Amino acid sequence: MTSSVPGEFVRQLSAALEEADMLMRQQISNGAEWVSRFRATLDSFVDSPVTATLHNKPTATANAWLRDALASLDGSTEFVSAVQAAANAANWYQIYNVDAAESGAMRSNMHALAEGMFAAQVIGPRGLIPSKKLLTGLFLLRAGLHYPLHQHEATEIYFCASGKLRIQHGIDTPPQQLIPGQFSLTPSNRLHSLTMGDAPVLLLYIWLGEFGGKNWWWHKDDNGVWQREAWERQPDAVWAKTITEVVPYSELILANKDK
Ligand SMILES: [Fe+2]
C-alpha cells in the first residue's frame, strides 16, 4: 500500500531519527526515552487519513530559499522524496505576526526576523492530518538569521534536513553546530536560540506536549537586565505578542542551570 504524503513524511522522519546523531545527548536526561516517544508518536500516524487539503505557497522570496534548501537535501532517496512531497503539499505560513502597534527599531527588527521564518504543518491543528497530540512539519529559515533565546512548554526536536546552524541551550552554554543528518532535542521550557549559517536552513520540527502555551523570547536590555516577551499561538497557528516583562529571578536561576 502506498502511504499518503504526511504518512510517508512521518515514516521517513522516524527512520531518520533512528539513524541520526543527537546533539548534546550527554546534556539531556532521558534523551533516548524521549526519542523513542517521538518516534512511536510519528509511527502512529503513518496510516492516518488526510482530511485537510488547504495549501499556500510561501512568499516568492521564501520560495527561493525553499528551492535552494530542497536542492541540497541530504539523506536516502525515500527521505528526500518524502520531504519534497511534504514541502509541495503542506500549507506554508509566516510564523510570527508583527504587532501593528509596535514602533521604532523594535518594529523593524521584528519585521526582519518575522519575515525570515516560515513553517508548514504536516500534522497538527493546521496540518494535512489534524492532531492535537503531535505537531510536525517543515521550518524554513533565512540564511544568517538569528532566532533569539526563547522557551516553550512543548518538548521539541529539530532534525536538520538542509543547511547548517548553531543551536544554544541556556544562557552560558556555548552553541553547537547542527548539520544535515543530525537533530537536537530541547526539553520542556529549556531556553534555546538558533543562528543560521550562510545558506537557508530547512528543519523538520516535532513538538510533543503542550502546544497552546506561551513562547517566551528573552533579550538583555541596554541596562543589562533580562527582559522577555510572550508570544501566543492564535487560532490560525500564527504567533502574536501578548506580554512584555522583566524575567523573574527564579526563571533566571533556572536558565543559568540549563546545561
Ligand atoms: Fe523552540
Side-chain angles (χ1 to χ4, degrees):
M1 192 182 109
T2 314
S3 298
S4 64
V5 167
E8 196 55 20
F9 178 83
V10 290
R11 185 206 303 275
Q12 293 303 328
L13 180 51
S14 173
L17 286 176
E18 190 178 22
E19 300 291 317
D21 284 337
M22 176 175 150
L23 218 59
M24 296 180 266
R25 189 184 289 274
Q26 70 286 2
Q27 296 162 14
I28 314 273
S29 56
N30 304 326
E33 288 85 345
W34 268 109
V35 175
S36 297
R37 193 183 307 179
F38 272 91
R39 292 195 58 223
T41 310
L42 290 169
D43 293 343
S44 72
F45 282 89
V46 165
D47 295 318
S48 298
V50 178
T51 57
T53 52
L54 180 65
H55 105 103
N56 286 313
K57 294 267 172 226
T59 61
T61 312
N63 207 29
W65 309 335
L66 182 59
R67 271 200 309 270
D68 282 357
L70 292 175
S72 54
L73 281 173
D74 202 23
S76 68
T77 314
E78 293 82 4
F79 174 85
V80 169
S81 304
V83 173
Q84 284 173 338
N88 285 329
N91 189 28
W92 285 93
Y93 61 95
Q94 183 177 309
I95 303 167
Y96 291 102
N97 244 348
V98 179
D99 182 354
E102 197 94 61
S103 61
M106 186 68 144
R107 181 169 161 79
S108 69
N109 283 346
M110 264 315 300
H111 263 295
L113 198 49
E115 286 166 4
M117 291 193 265
F118 290 81
Q121 272 185 21
V122 173
I123 296 178
R126 301 277 290 173
L128 299 168
I129 297 174
S131 170
K132 289 183 179 160
K133 72 168 191 170
L134 171 69
L135 206 59
T136 186
L138 303 116
F139 185 16
L140 177 68
L141 301 109
R142 175 173 58 74
L145 185 94
H146 175 66
Y147 183 6
L149 284 167
H150 61 286
Q151 61 186 151
H152 42 70
E153 215 171 314
T155 299
E156 174 179 78
I157 279 183
Y158 279 148
F159 181 91
C160 183
S162 187
K164 292 179 186 169
L165 66 155
R166 283 178 294 131
I167 178 161
Q168 179 172 346
H169 273 183
I171 292 176
D172 295 325
T173 316
Q176 293 199 31
Q177 193 169 60
L178 188 62
I179 62 171
Q182 296 181 329
F183 70 96
S184 62
L185 173 73
T186 301
S188 175
N189 282 314
R190 175 78 48 95
L191 204 56
H192 54 296
S193 71
L194 309 177
T195 308
M196 300 336 116
D198 56 10
V201 167
L202 184 65
L203 300 171
L204 311 183
Y205 71 88
I206 321 169
W207 269 26
L208 284 184
E210 175 54 56
F211 306 156
K214 295 178 178 65
N215 187 342
W216 289 103
W217 289 33
W218 291 39
H219 73 276
K220 227 179 209 176
D221 71 13
D222 295 343
N223 299 316
V225 177
W226 281 100
Q227 307 271 350
R228 68 177 186 176
E229 46 200 46
W231 293 77
E232 295 187 64
R233 198 186 288 276
Q234 307 302 299
D236 61 358
V238 169
W239 297 80
K241 189 158 76 172
T242 52
I243 304 172
T244 302
E245 66 176 25
V246 172
V247 174
Y249 186 66
S250 56
E251 287 287 332
L252 205 51
I253 298 294
L254 277 177
N256 277 320
K257 280 187 183 153
D258 282 353
K259 289 286 183 282

